[in-house]
């Protein structure tokens, strides 16, 4: 049984609206239902969303401050003033800076650029940078993607005789800076109809204001990158910007974009918003996270293909390094948290800190831990000399992390952000009080329901509805991103027809799913380890996105798995594991995200002769087979109550007797999953289901070698040479003969009774027991997974 990682909900679209829209636009009911669920109920709204139109583009002079900014820039050009572009180090800031470079190049301006270093300087406008600007002869600063909160810094610039034009898109504070011009669609009183522009979107509107219809269409490529990368809503004007940008990018003349697409493994003529989000943006961001964002700006603005290839390769290497750094910190942070959980419960807000945690990636680490534990997470890097900490927070929908930080602002040197993410700085001596205060706040806000992750799907469908044509229809909803996500579909009760892994080291999972006469290939990136838990024949529910797979000129539909669930208890066939203990620990970790919302309990059972694997099986209750009780806890404190079923039961060894098996099934009557990890005995060491022919053959052999008393060891040795039966089998058969008075055992010797009384084999308890043990062993050693599963179910019913 695998519980889905999140709770799935699928809103039902109004059937009449769906029917009317499908008929009026001649589109499929599935596409119509998706449009209706996204609030596009009329033909006009739906067509505008799918095809775009002039009404989505707005006059740049509707932006408050634009009428003041444009004449000031023209004056700077006429008087040959030196201009400074002041940007930011994330992908939106890099894109904004690059676009302004293209604009000022086009206008023939004299200019410099300045982007602060993420780790050494931090976000925003800095006075020391303004001092440097004065030295360079700068008289006009144009900020991009920053500046709306720089009240004191802009006052400082004014004192230096520098005019500042702010272009930004972040939430304006109550106290606005006294800049020459403020351009931000979110400013109070700004009449601009679309408030969701990225920083690069505002810069793009400034370019349009200065150049009008002469604005090069290809600049929309730069604007598209920043808009998608900064997770801006792909609605309204942003859709038009990204749509035009993607169309241009498919034949891009920018060497940097062509090279960046190449190292991202993206085919130029099919590039889409998802490629930007997961291919291009991480490599641009890697520059600012681990190095300096200037390298990414240089890539986007170079005019030379060779330089572009070199810079793109450097960014690709930085991104790989970033991935390794994130993985290391995530592993270290998880280990710290697990130590806390050994003595306590999971806190409402997770706060973790350490030295050597690169401040440029702590936000990504926080996101990873949030995904695993579904709690708000704060990850802090501690400066080894000053003790100052810088960190990032990521939160769940139920908790406004900015409000939480505001509640303990007295403990912080600085903080900022929004409900879902934030940044902060404080001294290490305040971390304990900080964590306590945050959790006290969370306790007053959060309820148990908040800790259940929810995924809103677009529709619950059958596999037959997810056709190639359906996948092609979905492209009409592109570009996809924030506020317009790729549609997610729930499909229940599909059968795994084939399971395999793909990619280096089997990192990714590929399933062939079947429902009725319909089959479809499905891919889950990074989930290759799940292949052992999803053998052919498994019934699953899936949450997936539909796409088109193109290979060698062939096109077919493909599902990209986002989540899955198995409703029935499962038996994992991992018999013959090289290291059963290590494998048990790995399965426990693998199942953890699929264990549901209740307590995650795992248990391991093994023979008492096995060396205690306590250190390797942390987090699992340990049990041993017992001759008297059948099974007993290795530690008396480790008990399992009937109302607390285990999520995973690992059999490191098989039971040796039916009593041990029945005790096992009695103690663990409702295990969600059972993993068979025992070794496979050599064929000659196994028991066989006893038959009369076996005993007839043994009777004849004994008559020939034990007419006089002979050492039992010698008897067993000679019998094993003359038959195909194991010594174990022969020994247990001798127990039957002894019970029936066919032989005598005395002082380690055996004597054959020449004229015993006639007795039936079935009268022997040892004969019945041999059959039971042999049957049990045969199932565990030779039975198929389904045979063992059905047999154990029947035993479990009998045991209960």
């Amino acid at each position: 049984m695998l519980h889905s990682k999140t709770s799935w909900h699928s809103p039902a679209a109004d059937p009449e609206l769906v029917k009317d829209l499908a008929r009026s636009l001649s589109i499929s009911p599935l596409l119509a239902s998706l449009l209706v669920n996204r609030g596009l109920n009329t033909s006009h709204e739906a067509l505008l969303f799918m095809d775009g139109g002039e009404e989505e583009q707005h006059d740049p002079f509707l932006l408050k401050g634009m009428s003041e900014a444009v004449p000031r820039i023209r004056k700077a050009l006429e008087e040959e003033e030196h201009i400074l572009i002041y940007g930011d180090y994330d992908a939106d800031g890099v894109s904004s800076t690059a676009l302004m470079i293209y604009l000022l190049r086009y206008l023939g301006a004299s200019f410099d650029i300045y982007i602060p270093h993420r780790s050494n300087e931090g976000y925003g406008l800095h006075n020391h940078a303004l001092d440097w600007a004065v030295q360079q002869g700068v008289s006009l600063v144009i900020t991009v993607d920053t500046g709306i909160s720089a009240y004191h810094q802009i006052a400082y610039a004014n004192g230096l005789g520098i005019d500042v034009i702010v272009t930004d898109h972040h939430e304006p504070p109550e106290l606005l800076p006294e800049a020459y011009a403020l351009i931000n669609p979110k400013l109070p009183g700004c009449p601009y109809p679309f408030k969701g522009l990225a920083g690069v979107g505002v810069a793009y509107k400034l370019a349009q204001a200065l150049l009008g219809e002469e604005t090069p269409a290809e600049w929309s490529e730069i604007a598209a990158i920043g808009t998608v990368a900064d997770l801006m809503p792909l609605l309204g004007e942003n859709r038009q910007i990204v749509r035009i940008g993607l169309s241009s990018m498919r034949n891009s003349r920018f060497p940097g974009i062509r090279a960046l697409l190449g190292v991202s493994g993206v085919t130029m003529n099919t590039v889409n918003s998802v490629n930007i989000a997961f291919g291009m943006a991480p490599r641009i961001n890697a520059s600012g996270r681990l190095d300096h964002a200037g390298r990414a700006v240089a890539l986007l603005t170079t005019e030379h293909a060779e330089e572009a290839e070199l810079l793109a390769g450097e960014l690709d290497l930085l991104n790989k390094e970033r991935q390794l750094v994130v993985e290391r910190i995530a592993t270290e942070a998880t280990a710290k948290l697990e130590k806390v959980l050994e003595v306590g419960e999971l806190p409402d807000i997770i706060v973790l800190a350490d030295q050597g945690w690169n401040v440029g990636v702590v936000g990504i680490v926080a996101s990873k831990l949030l995904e695993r534990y579904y709690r708000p997470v704060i990850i802090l890097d501690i400066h080894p000399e000053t003790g100052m900490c810088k960190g990032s927070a990521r939160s769940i929908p139920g908790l406004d992390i900015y409000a939480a930080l505001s509640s303990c602002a007295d403990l912080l040197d600085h903080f900022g952000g929004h409900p879902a993410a934030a940044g902060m700085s404080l001294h290490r001596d305040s971390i304990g009080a900080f964590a306590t205060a945050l959790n006290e706040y969370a306790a007053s806000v959060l309820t148990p329901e908040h800790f259940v992750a929810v995924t809103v799907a677009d529709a619950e469908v059958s596999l037959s509805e997810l056709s190639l044509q359906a996948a092609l229809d979905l492209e009409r909803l592109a570009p996809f991103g924030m506020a317009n996500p790729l549609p997610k579909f729930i499909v229940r009760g599909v059968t795994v027809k084939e399971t395999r892994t793909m990619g280096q080291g089997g990192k990714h999972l590929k399933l062939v799913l079947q429902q009725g006469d319909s089959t479809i290939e499905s891919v889950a990136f990074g989930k290759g380890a799940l292949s052992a838990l999803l053998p052919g024949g498994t019934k699953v529910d899936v949450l997936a996105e539909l796409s088109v797979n193109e290979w060698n000129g062939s096109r077919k539909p493909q599902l990209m798995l986002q989540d899955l669930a198995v409703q029935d208890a499962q038996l994992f066939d991992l018999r013959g594991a090289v290291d059963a203990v290590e494998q048990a620990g790995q399965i426990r970790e693998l199942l953890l995200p699929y264990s549901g919302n209740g307590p995650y309990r795992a248990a391991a059972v093994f023979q008492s002769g096995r060396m205690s694997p306590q250190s390797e099986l942390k987090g699992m209750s340990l049990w041993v087979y017992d001759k008297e009780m059948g099974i007993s806890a290795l530690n008396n404190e480790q008990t399992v109550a009937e109302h607390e079923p285990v999520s995973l039961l690992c059999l490191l060894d098989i039971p040796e007797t039916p009593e041990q098996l029945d005790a096992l099934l009695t103690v663990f009557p409702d295990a969600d999953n059972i993993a068979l990890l025992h070794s496979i005995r050599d064929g000659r060491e196994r028991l066989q289901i006893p038959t009369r022919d076996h005993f007839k053959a043994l009777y004849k052999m004994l008559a020939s070698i034990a007419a006089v008393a002979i050492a039992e060891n010698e008897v067993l040795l000679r019998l094993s040479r003359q038959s195909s039966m194991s010594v174990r089998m022969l020994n247990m058969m001798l127990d039957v003969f002894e019970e029936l008075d066919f032989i005598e055992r005395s002082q380690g010797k055996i004597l054959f009774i020449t004229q015993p009384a006639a007795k039936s084999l079935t009268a022997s308890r040892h004969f019945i027991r041999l059959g039971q043990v042999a049957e049990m062993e045969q199932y565990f050693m030779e039975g198929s997974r389904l045979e063992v599963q059905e047999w154990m179910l029947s035993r479990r019913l009998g045991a209960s």
Side-chain angles (χ1 to χ4, degrees):
M1 179 180 292
L2 302 180
H3 297 271
S4 58
K5 295 167 72 175
T6 67
S7 178
W8 309 340
H9 294 290
S10 175
D14 185 319
E16 289 302 317
L17 287 176
V18 170
K19 184 178 178 181
D20 290 345
L21 196 61
R23 183 176 60 248
S24 63
L25 296 180
S26 299
I27 59 177
S28 70
L30 180 60
L31 180 57
S33 70
L34 296 176
L35 289 163
V36 169
N37 274 340
R38 296 184 185 207
L40 304 163
N41 300 329
T42 68
S43 299
H44 175 73
E45 291 172 328
L47 283 175
L48 181 62
F49 185 83
M50 291 189 292
D51 301 332
E54 291 296 324
E55 59 195 276
E56 286 189 327
Q57 302 180 48
H58 307 296
D59 182 351
F61 284 97
L62 289 174
L63 280 162
K64 187 177 180 180
M66 191 67 80
S67 296
E68 292 75 30
V70 169
R72 179 65 185 87
I73 294 172
R74 292 197 189 283
K75 175 178 178 291
L77 295 170
E78 291 169 2
E79 299 183 3
E80 297 183 351
E81 295 181 55
H82 196 50
I83 301 171
L84 178 67
I85 305 168
Y86 195 103
D88 187 31
Y89 40 68
D90 68 359
D92 187 15
V94 165
S95 302
S96 304
T97 304
L99 196 146
M100 287 302 297
I101 289 172
Y102 280 113
L103 173 62
L104 294 187
R105 279 181 185 170
Y106 187 94
L107 295 170
S110 169
F111 68 92
D112 266 318
I113 68 168
Y114 192 97
I115 297 177
H117 191 284
R118 180 191 289 262
S119 299
N120 299 338
E121 297 173 275
Y123 176 79
L125 197 59
H126 298 287
N127 287 351
H128 64 262
L130 294 169
D131 291 335
W132 173 83
V134 169
Q135 295 173 6
Q136 305 307 309
V138 169
S139 54
L140 175 64
V141 171
I142 304 174
T143 74
V144 287
D145 193 34
T146 189
I148 198 64
S149 299
Y151 179 86
H152 296 290
Q153 293 82 1
I154 290 176
Y156 184 75
N158 292 336
L160 295 175
I162 296 176
D163 289 338
V164 180
I165 294 173
V166 171
T167 72
D168 201 353
H169 72 124
H170 294 99
E171 292 293 336
E174 289 186 14
L175 186 63
L176 293 170
E178 296 179 359
Y180 190 92
L182 296 176
I183 305 174
N184 184 332
K186 295 175 182 175
L187 281 171
C190 179
Y192 199 75
F194 183 68
K195 306 298 183 182
L197 290 172
V200 72
V202 179
Y204 189 53
K205 300 309 291 186
L206 177 59
Q208 289 182 334
L210 283 161
L211 302 180
E213 293 183 358
E214 293 182 12
T215 306
E218 60 265 27
W219 290 1
S220 61
E221 298 176 39
I222 308 292
I225 292 172
T227 300
V228 173
D230 212 41
L231 305 180
M232 290 297 101
L234 292 193
L235 304 172
E237 191 168 15
N238 281 348
R239 282 181 65 76
Q240 192 73 349
I241 289 172
V242 175
R243 184 185 282 121
I244 295 171
L246 287 170
S247 177
S248 176
M249 201 179 292
R250 287 166 192 144
N251 294 285
S252 181
R253 71 167 187 83
F254 293 117
I257 288 180
R258 296 176 71 93
L260 190 57
L261 288 170
V263 297
S264 302
V266 178
T267 304
M268 278 189 61
N269 61 2
T270 60
V271 64
N272 57 39
S273 57
V274 176
N275 299 144
I276 293 177
F278 295 99
M280 302 174 76
R283 288 167 172 82
I284 294 172
N285 278 323
S287 179
R289 293 184 189 280
L290 298 187
D291 186 45
H292 191 279
R295 195 180 309 201
V297 172
L299 171 66
L300 291 182
T301 56
T302 183
E303 297 177 350
H304 306 289
E306 288 185 5
E307 183 184 12
E309 293 292 340
L310 179 64
L311 289 169
E314 291 174 355
L315 291 193
D316 190 47
L317 288 175
L318 277 175
N319 189 52
K320 289 182 170 67
E321 182 184 345
R322 188 269 307 168
Q323 291 170 333
L324 293 174
V325 171
V326 167
E327 192 61 36
R328 174 184 64 81
I329 299 174
T331 300
E332 292 173 4
T334 302
K336 272 182 172 289
L337 182 57
E338 290 296 330
K339 283 186 178 180
V340 172
L341 298 183
E342 288 176 7
V343 295
E345 295 183 349
L346 189 65
D348 289 346
I349 299 180
I350 297 168
V351 180
L352 298 168
D354 207 343
Q355 295 181 18
W357 286 0
N358 188 306
V359 70
V361 302
V362 290
I364 302 175
V365 175
S367 295
K368 282 185 170 291
L369 266 68
L370 184 150
E371 181 181 359
R372 175 167 180 170
Y373 297 100
Y374 203 67
R375 292 287 193 278
V377 179
I378 295 175
I379 303 294
L380 297 157
D381 171 56
I382 304 173
H383 193 284
E385 296 174 3
T386 66
M388 287 303 299
C389 307
K390 289 183 179 180
S392 288
R394 297 293 184 270
S395 193
I396 59 178
L399 184 99
D400 182 333
I401 194 65
Y402 183 80
L405 293 173
S406 300
S407 73
C408 53
D410 57 315
L411 296 170
L412 300 169
D413 279 36
H414 173 78
F415 72 97
H418 51 81
M424 76 294 299
S425 62
L426 70 159
H427 195 272
R428 70 185 306 164
D429 294 342
S430 301
I431 292 175
F434 175 58
T436 299
L438 282 176
N439 277 282
E440 287 175 355
Y441 176 86
S444 68
V445 173
L446 296 172
T447 65
E449 289 74 24
H450 287 122
F451 297 122
V452 179
V454 175
T455 299
V456 178
D458 292 82
E460 187 164 328
V461 299
S462 64
L463 209 58
S464 61
E465 294 178 77
L466 302 180
S467 62
L468 176 60
Q469 186 57 51
L472 296 173
D473 286 346
L474 295 187
E475 286 300 316
R476 297 197 67 184
L477 302 179
F480 297 111
M482 289 298 292
N484 183 46
L486 272 163
K488 291 181 175 62
F489 300 102
I490 300 170
V491 192
R492 301 190 187 277
V494 294
T495 302
V496 176
K497 187 177 179 183
E498 184 181 335
T499 303
R500 61 180 182 272
T501 58
M502 62 183 195
Q504 186 175 7
K507 185 178 181 180
H508 310 303
L509 176 68
K510 191 166 191 177
L511 302 175
V512 177
L513 301 176
Q514 183 172 24
Q515 188 179 61
D517 295 329
S518 301
T519 60
I520 193 169
E521 288 186 350
S522 310
V523 174
F525 289 113
K527 302 298 181 185
L530 284 177
S531 61
L533 311 184
L534 296 167
T538 304
K539 287 274 189 182
V540 298
D541 300 335
V542 298
L543 177 74
E545 296 166 352
L546 179 64
S547 63
V548 177
N549 181 22
E550 297 192 32
W551 180 254
N552 287 339
S554 173
R555 306 175 85 194
K556 58 184 178 180
Q558 176 178 265
L559 293 183
M560 308 304 295
L561 294 185
Q562 306 300 308
D563 199 0
L564 56 84
V566 178
Q567 302 298 337
D568 300 324
Q570 290 178 273
L571 185 76
F572 304 135
D573 187 0
L574 302 166
R575 289 174 286 188
V578 175
D579 188 333
V581 173
E582 180 182 5
Q583 187 88 56
Q586 290 174 354
I587 296 173
R588 177 187 176 276
E589 287 297 306
L590 190 59
L591 285 176
L592 188 59
Y594 301 94
S595 58
N597 297 317
Y600 181 54
R601 294 184 172 86
V605 189
F606 46 90
Q607 292 293 342
S608 57
R610 178 186 286 270
M611 290 186 65
S612 174
Q614 286 176 290
S615 59
E616 294 95 334
L617 294 176
K618 291 180 180 179
M620 301 180 75
S621 62
L622 306 181
W623 298 71
V624 293
Y625 295 111
D626 187 287
K627 289 184 179 179
E628 300 295 329
M629 302 173 60
I631 183 176
S632 60
L634 191 63
N635 185 325
N636 289 333
E637 296 178 0
Q638 294 174 330
T639 58
V640 178
E642 289 184 7
H643 63 282
E644 295 179 345
V646 295
S647 304
L648 173 65
L649 175 61
C650 293
L651 303 189
L652 308 186
D653 300 306
I654 65 171
E656 295 289 351
T657 67
E659 291 79 11
Q660 289 179 356
L661 175 60
D662 292 340
L664 175 76
L665 298 175
T666 299
V667 172
F668 303 104
D670 297 308
D672 286 348
N673 300 293
I674 298 176
L676 301 182
L677 297 157
H678 59 270
S679 59
I680 303 295
R681 282 193 176 120
D682 181 84
R684 277 193 56 82
E685 293 302 314
R686 296 181 194 170
L687 300 178
Q688 301 176 37
I689 303 294
T691 65
R692 294 184 181 278
D693 289 339
H694 287 133
F695 282 92
K696 284 181 181 179
L698 179 61
Y699 190 88
K700 290 179 180 179
M701 286 187 282
L702 283 173
S704 65
I705 64 175
V708 296
I710 184 172
E712 185 169 342
N713 288 342
E714 186 178 344
V715 170
L716 287 170
L717 181 61
R718 292 172 66 177
L719 289 175
S720 65
R721 289 173 178 170
Q722 296 177 39
S723 74
S724 61
M725 292 179 284
S726 67
V727 171
R728 287 177 61 232
M729 177 80 175
L730 292 166
N731 209 4
M732 295 179 76
M733 292 174 71
L734 291 177
D735 291 340
V736 175
F737 277 170
E738 182 183 22
E739 182 184 358
L740 297 176
D741 297 324
F742 292 173
I743 61 171
E744 285 183 3
R745 279 170 160 165
S746 177
Q747 297 180 344
K749 293 185 176 182
I750 290 179
L751 175 65
F752 179 70
I753 306 300
T754 55
Q755 290 184 333
K759 294 179 182 177
S760 171
L761 286 171
T762 55
S764 166
R765 290 182 302 104
H766 285 95
F767 177 78
I768 303 300
R769 186 173 186 77
L770 173 58
Q772 293 172 337
V773 175
E775 179 191 47
M776 181 179 72
E777 183 172 298
Q778 190 172 68
Y779 273 107
F780 276 120
M781 295 295 166
E782 301 174 15
S784 69
R785 181 183 64 85
L786 291 177
E787 287 172 341
V788 177
Q789 188 166 329
E790 292 174 3
W791 173 72
M792 289 189 73
L793 176 61
S794 67
R795 295 289 302 202
R796 176 185 289 178
L797 295 174
S800 61

